[in-house]
Amino acid sequence: MSIDKSWMQKSRVSSEYHKGVLEFLDFAFSNALGKEMLPCPCIRCNNCLMQKQEIMYDHLLDNEIARNYVRWLMHGEYEFCKPTNTSTNESDMQDEMQEMLNDAFGMSMPNEESERSPHVHEEFEKPNEDANKFYNLLREAEHELYPGCKKFTKLSFIIRLLYLKCLNG
């Protein structure tokens, strides 16, 4: 389901903006599962203050919606968004974790061949403290969450918990 957000770029006094605000509020509060207050996406509140629908309506007309709020994660849009890669293949998840750690620390895990080759170790110094932390994270990323758990590693589980916390506050 695609949601029209072109109204967000219109003038606050235009009929398109007014109609878009009404559609946004209908969408947000229909996905709120009985909640009377939601984070207000106006420029002033910036999704930090909870408001009732009537107050949010006034805020969006008076202050304007934050134009950088393009994915309405705090207002139910995530329910309609499907991830592009839904594969839970264990090797894919492992590759993603290693890639993420490599991006964060800017180094890659030595493969088994380089560890076994004696002349490769002569060329490099021993890893410094930051490198050791990185390698420990990579090793931790390979450990099962609990014995017999094949779906999650300790690191992947923590990352998913953080993701859920970011989505739901």
Side-chain angles (χ1 to χ4, degrees):
M1 176 178 179
S2 180
I3 303 167
D4 179 26
K5 298 178 185 171
S6 61
W7 63 271
M8 295 172 64
Q9 306 305 319
K10 306 281 185 195
S11 167
R12 287 183 290 160
V13 295
S14 70
S15 61
E16 293 97 345
Y17 183 85
H18 196 274
K19 182 181 175 203
V21 167
L22 292 172
E23 289 174 359
F24 167 78
L25 291 173
D26 287 342
F27 175 81
F29 281 90
S30 68
N31 289 305
L33 301 173
K35 293 182 182 175
E36 291 184 22
M37 297 176 74
L38 291 175
C40 180
C42 78
I43 292 174
R44 193 181 87 196
C45 296
N46 200 27
N47 282 323
C48 293
L49 298 175
M50 303 291 278
Q51 303 291 354
K52 290 186 177 185
Q53 187 168 357
E54 300 79 26
I55 303 296
M56 194 181 298
Y57 173 78
D58 292 339
H59 281 206
L60 292 173
L61 292 182
D62 294 341
N63 304 322
E64 185 173 63
I65 191 165
R67 292 182 185 221
N68 62 348
Y69 188 50
V70 293
R71 289 219 28 228
W72 300 337
L73 297 175
M74 302 182 90
H75 297 90
E77 185 176 9
Y78 63 90
E79 293 176 1
F80 300 105
C81 297
K82 300 283 186 245
T84 54
N85 182 9
T86 57
S87 171
T88 56
N89 186 342
E90 189 176 330
S91 65
D92 289 346
M93 186 169 48
Q94 188 64 31
D95 292 341
E96 289 174 4
M97 289 297 138
Q98 288 187 357
E99 182 180 335
M100 180 190 66
L101 290 172
N102 185 28
D103 289 344
F105 288 92
M107 53 184 105
S108 59
M109 181 80 161
N111 58 26
E112 291 179 17
E113 291 177 13
S114 67
E115 290 177 3
R116 292 184 188 146
S117 176
H119 63 276
V120 172
H121 281 288
E122 294 170 7
E123 296 175 19
F124 298 104
E125 298 175 14
K126 290 187 177 184
N128 63 21
E129 187 177 337
D130 287 337
N132 281 330
K133 287 180 185 178
F134 172 74
Y135 294 137
N136 286 337
L137 281 173
L138 283 179
R139 281 189 283 280
E140 191 69 23
E142 296 172 0
H143 286 100
E144 297 174 337
L145 178 61
Y146 56 85
C149 178
K150 300 295 180 201
K151 187 171 181 178
F152 292 105
T153 64
K154 289 180 182 180
L155 180 63
S156 68
F157 184 73
I158 290 170
I159 289 171
R160 288 186 190 237
L161 282 177
L162 180 61
Y163 174 71
L164 289 172
K165 180 168 176 53
C166 289
L167 285 179
N168 300 307

